[in-house]
PDB file of all heavy atoms in Angstrom:
ATOM      1  N   ASP A  73       0.506  11.661   4.190  1.00  0.00           N
ATOM      2  CA  ASP A  73       0.081  10.631   5.129  1.00  0.00           C
ATOM      3  C   ASP A  73       1.273  10.084   5.912  1.00  0.00           C
ATOM      4  O   ASP A  73       1.150   9.784   7.095  1.00  0.00           O
ATOM      5  CB  ASP A  73      -0.646   9.506   4.411  1.00  0.00           C
ATOM      6  CG  ASP A  73      -1.429   8.638   5.374  1.00  0.00           C
ATOM      7  OD1 ASP A  73      -2.133   9.210   6.230  1.00  0.00           O
ATOM      8  OD2 ASP A  73      -1.328   7.404   5.294  1.00  0.00           O
ATOM      9  N   LYS A  78       4.104   9.827  11.076  1.00  0.00           N
ATOM     10  CA  LYS A  78       5.301  10.152  11.856  1.00  0.00           C
ATOM     11  C   LYS A  78       4.926  11.000  13.074  1.00  0.00           C
ATOM     12  O   LYS A  78       5.394  10.755  14.187  1.00  0.00           O
ATOM     13  CB  LYS A  78       6.286  10.903  10.962  1.00  0.00           C
ATOM     14  CG  LYS A  78       7.641  11.095  11.555  1.00  0.00           C
ATOM     15  CD  LYS A  78       8.547  11.739  10.517  1.00  0.00           C
ATOM     16  CE  LYS A  78       9.914  12.005  11.072  1.00  0.00           C
ATOM     17  NZ  LYS A  78      10.786  12.649  10.086  1.00  0.00           N
ATOM     18  N   ALA A  88      -0.402   7.105  26.542  1.00  0.00           N
ATOM     19  CA  ALA A  88      -0.932   5.741  26.503  1.00  0.00           C
ATOM     20  C   ALA A  88      -2.161   5.697  27.400  1.00  0.00           C
ATOM     21  O   ALA A  88      -2.192   6.331  28.452  1.00  0.00           O
ATOM     22  CB  ALA A  88       0.100   4.734  26.967  1.00  0.00           C
ATOM     23  N   GLY A 115      -5.018  -3.695  25.737  1.00  0.00           N
ATOM     24  CA  GLY A 115      -5.189  -3.804  24.295  1.00  0.00           C
ATOM     25  C   GLY A 115      -6.634  -3.965  23.869  1.00  0.00           C
ATOM     26  O   GLY A 115      -6.921  -4.602  22.861  1.00  0.00           O
ATOM     27  N   THR A 117     -10.547  -2.256  23.034  1.00  0.00           N
ATOM     28  CA  THR A 117     -11.367  -1.104  22.691  1.00  0.00           C
ATOM     29  C   THR A 117     -12.596  -1.140  23.587  1.00  0.00           C
ATOM     30  O   THR A 117     -13.349  -2.106  23.590  1.00  0.00           O
ATOM     31  CB  THR A 117     -11.785  -1.145  21.211  1.00  0.00           C
ATOM     32  OG1 THR A 117     -10.622  -1.095  20.402  1.00  0.00           O
ATOM     33  CG2 THR A 117     -12.689   0.020  20.875  1.00  0.00           C
ATOM     34  N   GLU A 125     -22.295   5.335  11.477  1.00  0.00           N
ATOM     35  CA  GLU A 125     -23.517   5.178  12.264  1.00  0.00           C
ATOM     36  C   GLU A 125     -24.479   6.347  12.056  1.00  0.00           C
ATOM     37  O   GLU A 125     -25.675   6.198  12.248  1.00  0.00           O
ATOM     38  CB  GLU A 125     -23.172   5.080  13.751  1.00  0.00           C
ATOM     39  CG  GLU A 125     -22.319   3.889  14.096  1.00  0.00           C
ATOM     40  CD  GLU A 125     -21.813   3.950  15.521  1.00  0.00           C
ATOM     41  OE1 GLU A 125     -22.166   4.895  16.256  1.00  0.00           O
ATOM     42  OE2 GLU A 125     -21.052   3.056  15.904  1.00  0.00           O
ATOM     43  N   VAL A 140     -20.641  12.293  16.054  1.00  0.00           N
ATOM     44  CA  VAL A 140     -19.753  11.193  16.451  1.00  0.00           C
ATOM     45  C   VAL A 140     -19.159  11.480  17.828  1.00  0.00           C
ATOM     46  O   VAL A 140     -19.071  10.588  18.678  1.00  0.00           O
ATOM     47  CB  VAL A 140     -18.649  10.954  15.397  1.00  0.00           C
ATOM     48  CG1 VAL A 140     -17.625   9.945  15.898  1.00  0.00           C
ATOM     49  CG2 VAL A 140     -19.254  10.483  14.091  1.00  0.00           C
ATOM     50  N   GLY A 141     -18.777  12.733  18.086  1.00  0.00           N
ATOM     51  CA  GLY A 141     -18.253  13.112  19.398  1.00  0.00           C
ATOM     52  C   GLY A 141     -19.276  12.911  20.504  1.00  0.00           C
ATOM     53  O   GLY A 141     -18.962  12.421  21.589  1.00  0.00           O
ATOM     54  N   ARG A 168     -12.741  19.033  11.716  1.00  0.00           N
ATOM     55  CA  ARG A 168     -13.528  17.881  12.178  1.00  0.00           C
ATOM     56  C   ARG A 168     -12.998  17.300  13.477  1.00  0.00           C
ATOM     57  O   ARG A 168     -13.775  16.858  14.324  1.00  0.00           O
ATOM     58  CB  ARG A 168     -13.554  16.789  11.112  1.00  0.00           C
ATOM     59  CG  ARG A 168     -14.379  17.164   9.909  1.00  0.00           C
ATOM     60  CD  ARG A 168     -14.547  15.998   8.983  1.00  0.00           C
ATOM     61  NE  ARG A 168     -13.343  15.748   8.210  1.00  0.00           N
ATOM     62  CZ  ARG A 168     -13.067  14.615   7.592  1.00  0.00           C
ATOM     63  NH1 ARG A 168     -13.903  13.608   7.656  1.00  0.00           N
ATOM     64  NH2 ARG A 168     -11.973  14.478   6.892  1.00  0.00           N
TER      65      ARG A 168
END
Side-chain angles (χ1 to χ4, degrees):
D73 196 47
K78 190 175 178 181
T117 298
E125 298 171 3
V140 172
R168 290 188 284 161

